[in-house]
């Protein structure tokens, strides 16, 4: 189980103006600014849960994961994971967690991936029998049997990310922290990674905390989201509840003939160009049929479709609602 209570973290960052004069001045007198990365962050994640941890850039997501991984020590607050304090019991703690940072690698660049796996086995002191079983399972689930004998530098991004995830799970951790695991991946690789994460959660009851800007990852994998902004937890609850809360918003996509649309205030024109428009409708105010009638009065409709608010639109609306 993961439990954070009133975690706070502040960074002191040096700053200076551009130019040689400012650079020379900073050698003798350096100015600093303080950034509150986390402010009283509290949440609990139970064993076997898959939770989406979302927020804009600079919100504090990676700082939270680094504290939970034992890499950073908070200024104040409590963090207990499986009965241990990560930064105080780091050796024991890292045996039970796996971490994947989408923009950092734990694979040695110039050697075959399997050599990196073997080295990680030695680092984590995994028994040979357990290592062989996990390697066999991961190789099959992630479809990396053909690439683990190739140096990491010769792999595509999608191939390398699948190997990164395998490397983080060789010691069979009970908790997996994923920070942007699908960044830069193509559609096929993303689906493969998502299917794998679901598989290890189902088969091994692995607890997963997923941090990503790809809301399709969140929608496909998690049932609960935690929203952080400006270092504070703003929302914590079921994803379905959030979507239902905003289910009154529908988007009409219209192909029409005639001049550009002019819609009343109770409809929101999202885009309108070359006879193709998107209109946001709040069905608590105007029904879809009423909206279509209003549009028909202004233009000849060639085609129209109705869609609910996407997960991306829902999250953008949340960012605006909380001013983050």
């Amino acid at each position: 189980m993961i439990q954070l209570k009133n975690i706070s973290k502040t960074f002191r960052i040096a700053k200076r103006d551009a130019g040689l004069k400012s650079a020379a001045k900073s050698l003798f007198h350096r100015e600093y600014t303080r950034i509150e990365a986390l402010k009283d962050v509290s949440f609990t994640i139970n064993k076997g849960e898959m939770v989406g941890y979302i927020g804009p850039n600079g919100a504090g997501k990676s700082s939270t994961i680094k504290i939970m991984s034992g890499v950073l020590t908070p200024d104040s607050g409590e963090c207990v994971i499986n009965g241990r304090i990560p930064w105080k019991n780091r050796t024991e703690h890292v045996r039970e967690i796996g971490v994947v940072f989408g923009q950092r690698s734990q694979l040695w660049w110039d050697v075959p991936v399997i050599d990196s796996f073997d080295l990680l086995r030695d680092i984590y002191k995994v028994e040979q029998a357990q290592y062989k079983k996990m390697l066999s399972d991961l190789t099959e689930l992630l479809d990396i049997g053909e690439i683990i004998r190739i140096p990491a530098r010769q792999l595509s991004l999608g191939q390398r990310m699948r190997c990164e995830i395998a490397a983080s799970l060789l010691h069979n951790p009970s908790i997996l922290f994923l920070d942007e695991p699908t960044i830069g991946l193509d559609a096929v690789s993303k689906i493969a990674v998502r299917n794998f994460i679901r598989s290890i959660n189902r088969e091994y009851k692995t607890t997963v905390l997923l941090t990503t800007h790809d809301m399709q990852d969140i929608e496909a994998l998690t049932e609960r989201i935690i929203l952080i902004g400006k270092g504070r937890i703003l929302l914590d609850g079921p994803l379905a509840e959030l979507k239902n809360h905003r289910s009154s918003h529908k988007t009409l996509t219209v192909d029409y003939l005639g001049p550009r649309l002019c819609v009343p205030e109770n409809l929101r024109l999202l885009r309108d160009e070359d006879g193709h428009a998107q209109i946001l409708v709040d069905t608590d105010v105007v029904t879809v049929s009423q909206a279509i009638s209003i549009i028909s009065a202004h233009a000849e409709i060639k085609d129209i479709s109705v869609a609910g608010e996407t997960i991306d639109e829902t999250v953008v609306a949340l960012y605006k609602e909380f001013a983050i």
Side-chain angles (χ1 to χ4, degrees), residues 42 46 93 121-122 128 156 179 212 233 244 270 295 301:
S42 301
N46 296 317
H93 177 62
R121 180 190 73 82
D122 292 335
Q128 189 67 29
S156 70
D179 190 3
T212 180
I233 299 298
N244 290 336
L270 300 177
I295 297 167
I301 297 176

Side-chain angles (χ1 to χ4, degrees), residues 272-284:
D272 184 10
E273 54 186 30
D274 300 326
H276 181 80
Q278 284 187 322
I279 300 162
L280 186 66
V281 180
D282 185 348
T283 55
D284 289 338

Side-chain angles (χ1 to χ4, degrees), residues 54-113:
I54 64 173
N57 290 328
K61 303 184 298 297
S62 294
S63 295
T64 308
I65 289 181
K66 288 175 181 176
I67 287 172
M68 291 190 292
S69 304
V71 177
L72 285 179
T73 301
D75 299 331
S76 61
E78 300 176 8
C79 175
V80 179
I81 299 178
N82 288 342
R84 296 188 180 95
I85 299 174
W87 56 93
K88 290 185 178 180
N89 311 106
R90 192 172 178 191
T91 301
E92 296 82 3
H93 177 62
V94 295
R95 296 181 192 276
E96 296 188 358
I97 66 169
V99 184
V100 176
F101 288 102
Q103 300 184 61
R104 294 177 178 86
S105 179
Q106 58 187 319
L107 302 175
W108 277 257
W109 200 239
D110 294 312
V111 301
V113 171

